[in-house]
Amino acid sequence: MFSRALRSQLKARCACRAFSTTAFREADFTHAVIGGGAVGLAIARQLAARNGTSTVLIERNSAVGMETSCRNSEVIHAGLYYGATSLKTALCIRGRQLMYALCQEYEIPHHNTGKWIVAQTDQQWEELVKVHKLTRSIEGVPTHFVSLEQAAKEEPFVQAKAGILASPTTGIIDSHAYMQFLLGDFQDRGGDIALFSCVTCIEALGECGSQGWAITTKDKQSGEESTFTSETIINSAGVGGACDINNMILPPARHQTQYYAKGNYFSYAASTPSVKRLIYPAPEPGLGGLGTHLTLDIAGRIRFGPDVQWVDDPNDLAVDSSRLGETITQIKKFLPSIKEEAIMPDYAGIRPKLGKDSAVASGKGFQDFVIRKEEDFVGFVNLLGIESPGLTSSLAIAEMVERLLYK
């Protein structure tokens, strides 16, 4: 929330700080980032490093990273599925490289596990061949086929009747530790954070933001409203309201509707069968996810998911236990000796979508990231449909937002 301490900082800032242009002399902040998930944190941290500027991060929850960013597979994606020219591919590759480097430098828990994509049918094998062919045309996304004989030695419990494609640069990360690092580094760089703060109104000052932006928030605890001003505004509200922020600012013809793809995850309590790497089914064109897959957490525990369940409420976070049977059916295709009684409901997450049937992988229904400086609106950078691989891409997205504001 906008505490007394933050209010006093605002008064001090107004008294002594020079802004980048005379048009914004009275602004409280240079940058206002709405949404404190992994992407919003990365953006705020990036912008806070600019000399002579100030950045505030606005988050509606009691802490950062409480929505999509903490309810996902925690996978560092390679960039296999999104087509050769998409924004998702470019940002995933750059983001992966930045993420591994950051984790190594600051000892953020992570592991370059690698991943196998397994095919059970001739049709699925054809999909693997397509993925391999695509990755050969993209720099920095190596893949290779694994013989079934070699697979039997390395992963004796994994079944792949038709073939296996390996992705050696895929990995996992402790997303909570990652976001806490971003938050701490953001604050060390002088950034301010407003928690419990729901954005209720955004007013463009001057002509379409030429004089900055007035942002009104409501404290979820006290109900008190506060208004502050910023030279620029970055919409990274994600599943918590990216389309709502978009629609507060842009005219009706440019309004967006958000859809919600719920993913149910299931834990595994037995010690066998065990695996050393992530196992994914072959991609299915037009699917809203990548299929029920096996991932590992930092401690090496197995979990399965997510599936795709379209819901109307972004707060519908209870695991749908009725989907366990189908999940087990999918798991047994690549891990046939699984102990059914050891699979238990774990958690669920919501992926923000811009279309009811928008697909993750390239092809029919594919929806790319939307990251743009909105035409005719000064200083407004809009991020929509930031789902997978948003976590992996977060540091690269932050670089892109800075370029959009300062190129």
Side-chain angles (χ1 to χ4, degrees):
M1 60 182 170
F2 274 96
S3 63
R4 289 188 179 90
L6 187 51
R7 290 179 189 280
S8 66
Q9 291 174 38
L10 287 176
K11 291 180 181 178
R13 198 173 274 122
C14 288
C16 68
R17 184 172 62 80
F19 286 87
S20 56
T21 68
T22 55
F24 299 113
R25 190 170 293 128
E26 302 303 320
D28 297 317
F29 295 97
T30 315
H31 317 111
V33 181
I34 303 174
V39 172
L41 282 164
I43 294 169
R45 170 182 175 268
Q46 183 84 16
L47 296 177
R50 294 189 67 88
N51 292 331
T53 69
S54 59
T55 303
V56 62
L57 178 63
I58 307 163
E59 170 55 48
R60 67 175 185 166
N61 292 301
S62 60
V64 298
M66 292 184 67
E67 296 179 356
T68 303
S69 296
C70 74
R71 293 174 170 271
N72 58 69
S73 300
E74 297 186 299
V75 171
I76 302 175
H77 288 286
L80 309 177
Y81 302 108
Y82 320 113
T85 60
S86 73
L87 202 52
K88 281 186 175 181
T89 294
L91 294 174
C92 183
I93 296 170
R94 172 64 175 163
R96 164 171 50 80
Q97 296 164 346
L98 291 171
M99 181 170 280
Y100 275 132
L102 186 81
C103 289
Q104 290 167 4
E105 180 175 358
Y106 294 100
E107 299 182 343
I108 299 169
H110 72 292
H111 186 32
N112 183 189
T113 57
K115 175 175 80 174
W116 282 1
I117 312 170
V118 296
Q120 312 300 341
T121 66
D122 290 342
Q123 182 179 359
Q124 290 181 345
W125 170 252
E126 291 175 5
E127 292 300 323
L128 294 193
V129 172
K130 290 178 184 177
V131 172
H132 182 57
K133 183 178 180 181
L134 170 66
T135 60
R136 292 182 67 184
S137 70
I138 305 171
E139 185 177 355
V141 191
T143 59
H144 62 269
F145 292 109
V146 179
S147 70
L148 297 185
E149 293 77 15
Q150 183 65 27
K153 296 176 183 177
E154 293 188 28
E155 297 284 7
F157 297 109
V158 174
Q159 176 173 268
K161 296 178 180 178
I164 298 170
L165 183 67
S167 168
T169 58
T170 299
I172 56 174
I173 185 171
D174 183 335
S175 62
H176 302 273
Y178 171 63
M179 289 187 286
Q180 285 304 306
F181 169 81
L182 293 180
L183 174 61
D185 207 33
F186 165 62
Q187 292 177 314
D188 287 346
R189 294 176 178 188
D192 294 308
I193 185 167
L195 300 174
F196 294 108
S197 298
C198 294
V199 176
T200 58
C201 181
I202 299 174
E203 178 186 357
L205 305 177
E207 185 177 352
C208 295
S210 62
Q211 299 297 311
W213 301 87
I215 303 166
T216 300
T217 64
K218 185 175 182 178
D219 188 319
K220 290 179 70 174
Q221 293 180 306
S222 68
E224 178 186 3
E225 288 197 335
S226 303
T227 300
F228 67 96
T229 56
S230 178
E231 296 180 19
T232 63
I233 186 167
I234 299 92
N235 176 20
S236 184
V239 74
C243 287
D244 292 337
I245 300 300
N246 175 90
N247 298 348
M248 284 183 192
I249 296 174
L250 299 181
R254 292 159 71 177
H255 283 189
Q256 296 277 355
T257 299
Q258 190 145 277
Y259 299 90
Y260 308 107
K262 178 178 175 179
N264 296 283
Y265 290 85
F266 299 87
S267 61
Y268 188 62
S271 58
T272 58
S274 61
V275 298
K276 304 181 186 72
R277 50 179 59 80
L278 313 187
I279 308 297
Y280 279 53
E284 296 183 32
L287 192 64
L290 296 177
T292 297
H293 45 265
L294 181 158
T295 60
L296 302 168
D297 66 15
I298 291 297
R301 291 184 294 261
I302 287 175
R303 58 188 169 201
F304 300 103
D307 58 5
V308 177
Q309 182 181 11
W310 295 97
V311 296
D312 296 324
D313 183 359
N315 298 308
D316 180 2
L317 294 172
V319 177
D320 187 345
S321 298
S322 69
R323 302 176 74 87
L324 178 56
E326 177 58 26
T327 297
I328 290 173
T329 298
Q330 297 303 317
I331 294 168
K332 282 194 165 186
K333 291 179 181 179
F334 60 81
L335 208 64
S337 61
I338 198 79
K339 295 178 174 64
E340 295 185 22
E341 66 278 8
I343 304 175
M344 303 293 293
D346 195 1
Y347 63 94
I350 302 290
R351 287 157 281 184
K353 302 276 191 175
L354 293 178
K356 185 60 184 267
D357 296 310
S358 60
V360 170
S362 61
K364 182 181 179 182
F366 174 70
Q367 176 65 60
D368 205 354
F369 289 155
V370 174
I371 305 173
R372 63 193 176 210
K373 191 173 183 181
E374 290 289 356
E375 185 178 359
D376 301 326
F377 287 83
V378 180
F380 174 34
V381 177
N382 205 6
L383 289 79
L384 301 170
I386 308 299
E387 51 163 332
S388 183
L391 176 64
T392 304
S393 304
S394 54
L395 296 172
I397 291 173
E399 288 183 334
M400 181 178 178
V401 169
E402 184 178 26
R403 288 195 302 271
L404 288 172
L405 286 173
Y406 289 98
K407 66 181 179 181

